[in-house]
Amino acid sequence: MERVAIYPGSFDPITNGHVDIILRGAKLFPRIIVAVLENPKKETLFATDERIEIIREIFRDQAGIQAVHFHGLLVRFAEENGARIVIRGLRAVSDFEYEFQMALMNQTLDPKIETLFMTPSSPFTFLSSSLVKEVFGLGGEIGGLVPPVVERRLREKFHRPDTSPIKE
Ligand code: PNS
């Protein structure tokens, strides 16, 4: 069986914390499927297609990393894609209870599924998509916290021109 891992999430939008986990995960698994949750009940800033487009652009040179959308049960999506490993980032104690519940529920639904928790690299331990959206929406700068394509897309969404000095 091919060693494939799924990295599921909302990715609204993807941050450098997510990118860090994906790149480190890619050193462990030859194929990583970044599975973007499509949930019509949840209001998102970026549509599913936009979130996927962004992720594909970031990893366009990495053949082993692909981005697709999924809906319904994660364990079913994993089964359909021949994956037994689900990667999740664990930033702080505050993440633990939700992640613990989710991992055990997935294990109950399908005992073949293993959840692999990865800690983010230290500069990203505080980072979340919601914080990025809040800070940017309030006029703060988020350079270095998200890939350049995300910053560009956020500027478009919020109609905010780039006023930083032109880099030589
Ligand atoms: O980035 P997020 O929003 O924390 O990701 C949550 C996600 C997408 C991993 C989770 O909501 C999920 O797996 N949803 C699919 C539905 C499902 O399988 N639910 C039962 C598992 S608890």
Side-chain angles (χ1 to χ4, degrees):
M1 195 178 190
E2 191 192 11
R3 287 187 347 118
V4 40
I6 294 190
Y7 182 48
S10 303
F11 306 107
D12 184 41
I14 189 167
T15 69
N16 281 346
H18 296 125
V19 171
D20 167 61
I21 299 273
I22 295 169
L23 291 177
R24 285 165 47 221
K27 292 183 187 153
L28 304 173
F29 299 95
R31 191 166 156 234
I32 302 226
I33 302 175
V34 183
V36 178
L37 180 68
E38 186 176 12
N39 183 357
K41 289 195 196 126
K42 196 172 162 188
E43 207 176 302
T44 53
L45 178 64
F46 292 96
T48 315
D49 286 350
E50 291 179 294
R51 287 179 271 153
I52 288 175
E53 223 174 83
I54 291 171
I55 299 169
R56 287 187 180 156
E57 185 170 335
I58 296 166
F59 298 106
R60 62 172 182 262
D61 296 329
Q62 268 114 329
I65 301 170
Q66 56 180 136
V68 294
H69 66 93
F70 83 105
H71 57 87
L73 282 180
L74 178 64
V75 291
R76 195 167 296 147
F77 176 79
E79 171 92 54
E80 285 163 5
N81 286 276
R84 288 180 43 206
I85 307 289
V86 170
I87 297 178
R88 290 288 288 171
L90 201 56
R91 287 166 302 192
V93 180
S94 50
D95 279 345
F96 183 75
E97 199 167 327
Y98 171 59
E99 293 298 334
F100 186 71
Q101 265 187 332
M102 220 159 44
L104 287 180
M105 177 55 88
N106 285 334
Q107 196 185 75
T108 304
L109 292 170
D110 184 347
K112 294 190 299 300
I113 298 291
E114 291 292 348
T115 301
L116 177 71
F117 290 115
M118 291 180 70
T119 52
S121 297
S122 49
F124 306 123
T125 42
F126 67 96
L127 195 54
S128 71
S129 302
S130 358
L131 212 50
V132 162
K133 283 182 284 191
E134 182 178 332
V135 168
F136 193 81
L138 293 171
E141 289 305 330
I142 39 93
L145 302 179
V146 294
V149 52
V150 172
E151 190 175 345
R152 198 179 71 236
R153 295 287 192 120
L154 281 168
R155 285 194 189 286
E156 285 164 14
K157 280 265 177 230
F158 286 86
H159 308 290
R160 231 177 90 184
D162 187 357
T163 52
S164 58
I166 295 162
K167 294 166 196 99
E168 292 295 321

mmCIF file of all heavy atoms in Angstrom, residues 62-85:
data_model
loop_
_atom_site.group_PDB
_atom_site.id
_atom_site.type_symbol
_atom_site.label_atom_id
_atom_site.label_comp_id
_atom_site.label_asym_id
_atom_site.label_seq_id
_atom_site.Cartn_x
_atom_site.Cartn_y
_atom_site.Cartn_z
ATOM 1 N N GLN A 62 5.758 20.701 -5.920
ATOM 2 C CA GLN A 62 5.925 19.477 -5.126
ATOM 3 C C GLN A 62 4.912 18.432 -5.568
ATOM 4 O O GLN A 62 3.730 18.499 -5.198
ATOM 5 C CB GLN A 62 5.739 19.763 -3.628
ATOM 6 C CG GLN A 62 7.050 20.090 -2.942
ATOM 7 C CD GLN A 62 7.084 21.510 -2.442
ATOM 8 O OE1 GLN A 62 6.466 22.399 -3.030
ATOM 9 N NE2 GLN A 62 7.811 21.720 -1.373
ATOM 10 N N ALA A 63 5.412 17.476 -6.346
ATOM 11 C CA ALA A 63 4.510 16.504 -6.960
ATOM 12 C C ALA A 63 3.782 15.640 -5.922
ATOM 13 O O ALA A 63 2.663 15.193 -6.159
ATOM 14 C CB ALA A 63 5.310 15.614 -7.905
ATOM 15 N N GLY A 64 4.396 15.446 -4.773
ATOM 16 C CA GLY A 64 3.795 14.563 -3.760
ATOM 17 C C GLY A 64 2.706 15.216 -2.922
ATOM 18 O O GLY A 64 2.069 14.558 -2.103
ATOM 19 N N ILE A 65 2.503 16.522 -3.134
ATOM 20 C CA ILE A 65 1.502 17.229 -2.307
ATOM 21 C C ILE A 65 0.346 17.656 -3.197
ATOM 22 O O ILE A 65 0.533 18.401 -4.158
ATOM 23 C CB ILE A 65 2.126 18.468 -1.627
ATOM 24 C CG1 ILE A 65 3.304 18.036 -0.738
ATOM 25 C CG2 ILE A 65 1.083 19.227 -0.815
ATOM 26 C CD1 ILE A 65 4.140 19.187 -0.201
ATOM 27 N N GLN A 66 -0.840 17.172 -2.900
ATOM 28 C CA GLN A 66 -1.977 17.583 -3.716
ATOM 29 C C GLN A 66 -3.092 18.136 -2.833
ATOM 30 O O GLN A 66 -3.170 17.818 -1.642
ATOM 31 C CB GLN A 66 -2.489 16.425 -4.575
ATOM 32 C CG GLN A 66 -2.862 15.191 -3.813
ATOM 33 C CD GLN A 66 -3.353 14.081 -4.728
ATOM 34 O OE1 GLN A 66 -2.980 12.940 -4.559
ATOM 35 N NE2 GLN A 66 -4.185 14.398 -5.687
ATOM 36 N N ALA A 67 -3.914 18.978 -3.421
ATOM 37 C CA ALA A 67 -5.018 19.567 -2.657
ATOM 38 C C ALA A 67 -6.340 19.200 -3.316
ATOM 39 O O ALA A 67 -6.494 19.346 -4.533
ATOM 40 C CB ALA A 67 -4.878 21.087 -2.606
ATOM 41 N N VAL A 68 -7.260 18.690 -2.501
ATOM 42 C CA VAL A 68 -8.586 18.341 -3.014
ATOM 43 C C VAL A 68 -9.629 18.724 -1.965
ATOM 44 O O VAL A 68 -9.288 18.921 -0.809
ATOM 45 C CB VAL A 68 -8.717 16.820 -3.305
ATOM 46 C CG1 VAL A 68 -7.816 16.372 -4.423
ATOM 47 C CG2 VAL A 68 -8.431 16.003 -2.060
ATOM 48 N N HIS A 69 -10.884 18.789 -2.390
ATOM 49 C CA HIS A 69 -11.908 19.080 -1.390
ATOM 50 C C HIS A 69 -12.564 17.781 -0.930
ATOM 51 O O HIS A 69 -12.503 16.768 -1.613
ATOM 52 C CB HIS A 69 -12.945 20.052 -1.946
ATOM 53 C CG HIS A 69 -13.759 19.488 -3.055
ATOM 54 N ND1 HIS A 69 -14.961 18.870 -2.847
ATOM 55 C CD2 HIS A 69 -13.514 19.412 -4.380
ATOM 56 C CE1 HIS A 69 -15.435 18.463 -4.004
ATOM 57 N NE2 HIS A 69 -14.575 18.774 -4.950
ATOM 58 N N PHE A 70 -13.139 17.830 0.255
ATOM 59 C CA PHE A 70 -13.915 16.681 0.704
ATOM 60 C C PHE A 70 -15.108 17.165 1.498
ATOM 61 O O PHE A 70 -15.131 18.288 1.993
ATOM 62 C CB PHE A 70 -13.052 15.706 1.532
ATOM 63 C CG PHE A 70 -12.897 16.061 2.991
ATOM 64 C CD1 PHE A 70 -13.590 15.362 3.979
ATOM 65 C CD2 PHE A 70 -12.048 17.090 3.392
ATOM 66 C CE1 PHE A 70 -13.453 15.685 5.335
ATOM 67 C CE2 PHE A 70 -11.901 17.414 4.738
ATOM 68 C CZ PHE A 70 -12.602 16.712 5.707
ATOM 69 N N HIS A 71 -16.126 16.309 1.549
ATOM 70 C CA HIS A 71 -17.265 16.613 2.416
ATOM 71 C C HIS A 71 -17.692 15.305 3.058
ATOM 72 O O HIS A 71 -17.281 14.228 2.643
ATOM 73 C CB HIS A 71 -18.407 17.272 1.622
ATOM 74 C CG HIS A 71 -18.870 16.455 0.473
ATOM 75 N ND1 HIS A 71 -19.823 15.486 0.579
ATOM 76 C CD2 HIS A 71 -18.452 16.425 -0.820
ATOM 77 C CE1 HIS A 71 -19.992 14.919 -0.599
ATOM 78 N NE2 HIS A 71 -19.171 15.448 -1.466
ATOM 79 N N GLY A 72 -18.464 15.397 4.075
ATOM 80 C CA GLY A 72 -18.882 14.185 4.780
ATOM 81 C C GLY A 72 -17.787 13.717 5.728
ATOM 82 O O GLY A 72 -16.931 14.492 6.140
ATOM 83 N N LEU A 73 -17.835 12.421 6.028
ATOM 84 C CA LEU A 73 -16.915 11.886 7.033
ATOM 85 C C LEU A 73 -15.480 11.797 6.532
ATOM 86 O O LEU A 73 -15.209 11.281 5.447
ATOM 87 C CB LEU A 73 -17.366 10.488 7.449
ATOM 88 C CG LEU A 73 -18.533 10.385 8.419
ATOM 89 C CD1 LEU A 73 -18.850 8.922 8.714
ATOM 90 C CD2 LEU A 73 -18.250 11.145 9.715
ATOM 91 N N LEU A 74 -14.578 12.239 7.385
ATOM 92 C CA LEU A 74 -13.156 12.192 7.040
ATOM 93 C C LEU A 74 -12.677 10.741 6.860
ATOM 94 O O LEU A 74 -11.913 10.437 5.943
ATOM 95 C CB LEU A 74 -12.347 12.888 8.134
ATOM 96 C CG LEU A 74 -10.838 12.883 7.956
ATOM 97 C CD1 LEU A 74 -10.432 13.666 6.719
ATOM 98 C CD2 LEU A 74 -10.148 13.455 9.187
ATOM 99 N N VAL A 75 -13.148 9.854 7.736
ATOM 100 C CA VAL A 75 -12.684 8.458 7.645
ATOM 101 C C VAL A 75 -13.102 7.820 6.313
ATOM 102 O O VAL A 75 -12.379 6.995 5.762
ATOM 103 C CB VAL A 75 -13.172 7.588 8.835
ATOM 104 C CG1 VAL A 75 -12.492 7.996 10.124
ATOM 105 C CG2 VAL A 75 -14.667 7.614 8.970
ATOM 106 N N ARG A 76 -14.258 8.236 5.820
ATOM 107 C CA ARG A 76 -14.709 7.691 4.527
ATOM 108 C C ARG A 76 -13.808 8.207 3.401
ATOM 109 O O ARG A 76 -13.413 7.466 2.514
ATOM 110 C CB ARG A 76 -16.168 8.101 4.286
ATOM 111 C CG ARG A 76 -16.821 7.304 3.180
ATOM 112 C CD ARG A 76 -18.322 7.469 3.153
ATOM 113 N NE ARG A 76 -18.974 6.966 4.339
ATOM 114 C CZ ARG A 76 -20.084 7.502 4.875
ATOM 115 N NH1 ARG A 76 -20.632 8.542 4.320
ATOM 116 N NH2 ARG A 76 -20.626 6.991 5.946
ATOM 117 N N PHE A 77 -13.494 9.498 3.489
ATOM 118 C CA PHE A 77 -12.611 10.098 2.488
ATOM 119 C C PHE A 77 -11.241 9.400 2.519
ATOM 120 O O PHE A 77 -10.651 9.112 1.479
ATOM 121 C CB PHE A 77 -12.457 11.594 2.772
ATOM 122 C CG PHE A 77 -11.499 12.293 1.860
ATOM 123 C CD1 PHE A 77 -11.874 12.653 0.573
ATOM 124 C CD2 PHE A 77 -10.202 12.560 2.272
ATOM 125 C CE1 PHE A 77 -10.965 13.278 -0.277
ATOM 126 C CE2 PHE A 77 -9.288 13.179 1.442
ATOM 127 C CZ PHE A 77 -9.677 13.535 0.154
ATOM 128 N N ALA A 78 -10.760 9.110 3.737
ATOM 129 C CA ALA A 78 -9.462 8.439 3.883
ATOM 130 C C ALA A 78 -9.506 7.059 3.227
ATOM 131 O O ALA A 78 -8.628 6.691 2.447
ATOM 132 C CB ALA A 78 -9.107 8.322 5.370
ATOM 133 N N GLU A 79 -10.547 6.323 3.524
ATOM 134 C CA GLU A 79 -10.732 4.970 2.960
ATOM 135 C C GLU A 79 -10.747 5.026 1.424
ATOM 136 O O GLU A 79 -10.040 4.264 0.758
ATOM 137 C CB GLU A 79 -12.063 4.417 3.497
ATOM 138 C CG GLU A 79 -12.527 3.126 2.850
ATOM 139 C CD GLU A 79 -12.036 1.923 3.619
ATOM 140 O OE1 GLU A 79 -12.288 1.884 4.822
ATOM 141 O OE2 GLU A 79 -11.386 1.055 3.002
ATOM 142 N N GLU A 80 -11.508 5.970 0.895
ATOM 143 C CA GLU A 80 -11.627 6.090 -0.572
ATOM 144 C C GLU A 80 -10.284 6.420 -1.228
ATOM 145 O O GLU A 80 -10.069 6.143 -2.396
ATOM 146 C CB GLU A 80 -12.632 7.199 -0.936
ATOM 147 C CG GLU A 80 -14.074 6.806 -0.723
ATOM 148 C CD GLU A 80 -15.027 8.005 -0.690
ATOM 149 O OE1 GLU A 80 -14.588 9.161 -0.930
ATOM 150 O OE2 GLU A 80 -16.202 7.778 -0.399
ATOM 151 N N ASN A 81 -9.396 7.034 -0.445
ATOM 152 C CA ASN A 81 -8.106 7.440 -1.005
ATOM 153 C C ASN A 81 -6.954 6.550 -0.551
ATOM 154 O O ASN A 81 -5.788 6.901 -0.732
ATOM 155 C CB ASN A 81 -7.819 8.903 -0.641
ATOM 156 C CG ASN A 81 -8.682 9.848 -1.452
ATOM 157 O OD1 ASN A 81 -8.343 10.188 -2.572
ATOM 158 N ND2 ASN A 81 -9.825 10.221 -0.913
ATOM 159 N N GLY A 82 -7.292 5.428 0.049
ATOM 160 C CA GLY A 82 -6.274 4.467 0.470
ATOM 161 C C GLY A 82 -5.319 5.016 1.513
ATOM 162 O O GLY A 82 -4.142 4.661 1.531
ATOM 163 N N ALA A 83 -5.835 5.903 2.376
ATOM 164 C CA ALA A 83 -4.962 6.509 3.400
ATOM 165 C C ALA A 83 -5.345 6.007 4.785
ATOM 166 O O ALA A 83 -6.525 5.849 5.097
ATOM 167 C CB ALA A 83 -5.085 8.022 3.349
ATOM 168 N N ARG A 84 -4.337 5.767 5.609
ATOM 169 C CA ARG A 84 -4.614 5.348 6.989
ATOM 170 C C ARG A 84 -4.133 6.393 7.991
ATOM 171 O O ARG A 84 -4.442 6.325 9.164
ATOM 172 C CB ARG A 84 -3.915 4.019 7.274
ATOM 173 C CG ARG A 84 -4.580 2.854 6.566
ATOM 174 C CD ARG A 84 -3.860 1.566 6.879
ATOM 175 N NE ARG A 84 -3.529 1.479 8.295
ATOM 176 C CZ ARG A 84 -2.517 0.770 8.780
ATOM 177 N NH1 ARG A 84 -1.726 0.112 7.969
ATOM 178 N NH2 ARG A 84 -2.285 0.735 10.074
ATOM 179 N N ILE A 85 -3.333 7.329 7.512
ATOM 180 C CA ILE A 85 -2.776 8.333 8.427
ATOM 181 C C ILE A 85 -3.463 9.686 8.233
ATOM 182 O O ILE A 85 -3.567 10.170 7.106
ATOM 183 C CB ILE A 85 -1.262 8.546 8.155
ATOM 184 C CG1 ILE A 85 -0.504 7.214 8.177
ATOM 185 C CG2 ILE A 85 -0.654 9.567 9.115
ATOM 186 C CD1 ILE A 85 -0.363 6.603 9.548
#
